[in-house]
């Protein structure tokens, strides 16, 4: 086959097409104009023009998270690349596959402090899975194909490819993806069968077991979620999840205990604390889940399945480490469980479920209902009922509203929940919802937001309007940076330093100025009608401003540095006097 000569910019476009890319999120600038010119001369790739480079990465994250594909970002050099850094770190923390193409000054100017020059590879090294600086156009195609392989393989993550302008202009040879193999990066996908067998024996002996699942199950794909559901039903064990793992197991199933962690349910946290066998599948023992490490599930044997070997024994020492893809590990576990005709200890499991039902009877998500003020939990409950049976995706900003959304919006399938877990990035939700809406134009895509967090990337309403993405922005407006205010109340003597959201815009008028629909509810009786109207508008974005109780706090809550059995269920509980639950300790 004769070598195919193309310009560097043309090589970029062809490589993206050969990788199956259909959408690019980006913002042009001088150092990437050759690529934008090549984009102009083709019709296969659709470019979504964002209003800020950080939003480009978040939109690509929403696209990737909702589709399982690699999200693609195109930004210019200098400030374009540095504006993308927050999004790149967000994607790294939450294992989202992203390829970010950055323009760079010509190779002969690198290191000379040229106009809009930045050491992009140096700056992004700590916040990407890998990065490249391409100095030879004949290495460009190979590097791009490698970038996609690295982004999607093993534990997914963001990859940066830095592209000097002269490389984009130069003529070079194109090689197709089938001819590119990474020399050293070969993640272990198949687990060690001996470890699987060890895990199966431990699971069969469990008296108080629990499945603890994370975003790795979602990243592994829909087969992993199906196998997880199958194995949970085979064993009859309870299951909980991290924030990033929501949807991997159907929330309507009876084995589901709800979310785990700082704002997880009472029953999930206490079951984790008292378990004797923990089966961790695709979670990384994040500090918001473990709490006080020395008292984390202190009486348990721990099984940990993770495709990233560096995550195993990193935060918590485990008894059965299993390196591999979640789907492959679950498939092997189910096969061996069946072949050896294993059954759970039914008597012990019945006693365990009886205890769990006592914890569930505390109804930890109950809240004080009132006709005088809209409670944020109520607004989300009404949104949940309105979305029932519909095709929807939920994105969130970061704060109290994020935790309430995780508590009150149950998910039946993976890839429907888009949130910033590890980095906790305010401003994530709107662009992520746009990315999901672009990928799923017929679906309902809602960004559950706070009035403070939405302002971080509110300019992306312009993107949604331009590209006819009818996202719904559902603002729970309590006039505070709610989670900051909650911590100040509980931990800092109610000294509300700089947490009151003064000088807020009129969100209805702001929405209308962007040619969006603007709606507002200030009374309990208005909530249902406003939600119904929001869902009926499909020709443009909608911004809904729900005036909620400014003093409502998010419970349950495990104070920082405390163990799972030191859990606060409401405002009457005192953080400084938080003590283990009374009469619930198992012997």
């Amino acid at each position: 086959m004769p070598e195919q000569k193309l310009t560097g910019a043309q090589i970029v476009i062809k490589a993206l097409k050969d990788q199956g890319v259909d959408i690019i999120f980006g913002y042009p600038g001088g150092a990437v104009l050759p690529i934008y010119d090549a984009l102009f001369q083709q019709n296969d790739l659709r470019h979504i023009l964002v209003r800020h480079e950080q939003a480009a990465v978040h939109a690509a994250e929403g696209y990737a998270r909702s589709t399982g594909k690699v999200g693609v970002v195109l930004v210019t050099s200098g400030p374009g690349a540095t504006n993308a850094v927050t999004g790149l770190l967000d994607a790294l923390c939450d294992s989202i596959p992203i390829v970010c193409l950055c323009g760079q000054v010509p190779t002969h100017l690198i290191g000379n402090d040229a106009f809009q020059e930045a050491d992009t590879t140096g700056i992004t090294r700590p916040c990407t899975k890998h990065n490249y600086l391409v100095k030879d156009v004949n290495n460009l195609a190979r590097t791009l194909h490698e970038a996609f392989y690295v982004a999607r393989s093993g534990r997914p993550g963001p990859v940066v490819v830095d592209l000097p302008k002269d490389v984009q202009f130069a003529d070079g040879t194109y090689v197709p993806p089938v001819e590119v193999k990474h020399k050293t990066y070969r993640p272990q996908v198949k687990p060690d069968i001996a470890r699987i067998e060890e895990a199966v024996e431990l699971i069969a002996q469990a008296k108080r077991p629990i499945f603890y699942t994370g975003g790795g199950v979602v990243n592994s794909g829909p087969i992993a979620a199906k196998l997880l559901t199958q194995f949970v039903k085979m064993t009859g064990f309870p299951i909980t999840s991290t924030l990033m793992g929501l949807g991997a197991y159907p929330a309507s199933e009876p084995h589901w205990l709800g979310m785990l962690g700082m704002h997880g349910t009472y029953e999930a946290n206490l079951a984790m604390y008292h378990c004797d066998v923990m089966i961790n599948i695709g979670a990384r023992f994040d500090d918001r889940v473990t709490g006080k490490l020395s008292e984390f599930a202190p009486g348990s044997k721990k099984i940990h399945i993770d495709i990233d070997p560096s995550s195993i024994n990193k935060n918590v020492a485990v008894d059965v480490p299993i390196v591999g893809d979640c789907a492959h590990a679950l498939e092997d576990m189910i096969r061996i469980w069946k072949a050896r005709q294993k059954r759970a200890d039914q008597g012990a499991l019945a006693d365990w479920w009886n205890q769990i039902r006592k914890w569930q009877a505390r109804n930890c998500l109950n809240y004080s209902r009132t006709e005088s003020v809209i409670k944020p939990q109520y607004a989300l409950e009404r949104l949940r009922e309105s979305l029932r049976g519909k095709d929807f995706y939920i994105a969130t900003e970061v704060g109290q509203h994020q935790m309430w959304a995780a508590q009150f919006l149950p998910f039946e399938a993976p890839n429907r929940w888009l949130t910033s877990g590890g980095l906790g990035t305010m401003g994530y939700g709107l662009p992520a919802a746009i990315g999901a809406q672009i990928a799923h134009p017929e679906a309902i895509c809602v960004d559950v937001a706070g009035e403070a967090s939405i302002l971080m990337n509110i300019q992306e309403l312009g993107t949604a309007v331009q590209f006819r993405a009818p996202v719904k922005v559902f603002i729970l407006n309590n006039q505070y940076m709610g989670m900051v205010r909650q911590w100040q109340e509980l931990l800092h003597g109610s000294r509300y330093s700089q947490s009151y959201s003064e000088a807020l815009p009129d969100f209805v008028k702001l929405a209308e100025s962007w040619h969006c629909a603007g709606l507002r509810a200030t009374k309990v009786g208005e909530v249902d009608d406003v939600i119904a109207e929001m869902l009926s508008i499909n020709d443009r974005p909608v911004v809904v401003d729900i005036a909620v109780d400014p003093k409502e706090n998010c419970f349950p809550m495990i104070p920082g540095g405390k163990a799972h059995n030191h859990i606060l269920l409401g405002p009457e509980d005192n953080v400084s006097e938080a003590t283990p639950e009374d009469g619930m300790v198992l012997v």
Side-chain angles (χ1 to χ4, degrees), residues 6 16 26 48 81 126 167 242 269 320 435 579:
L6 300 170
L16 294 179
I48 305 299
V167 172
T242 66
N269 282 310
V320 185
T579 55

Side-chain angles (χ1 to χ4, degrees), residues 432-451:
I434 293 171
Q437 189 76 80
I438 295 294
H440 309 278
E442 302 303 319
I444 298 168
C445 296
V446 182
D447 172 30
V448 176
E451 84 293 330

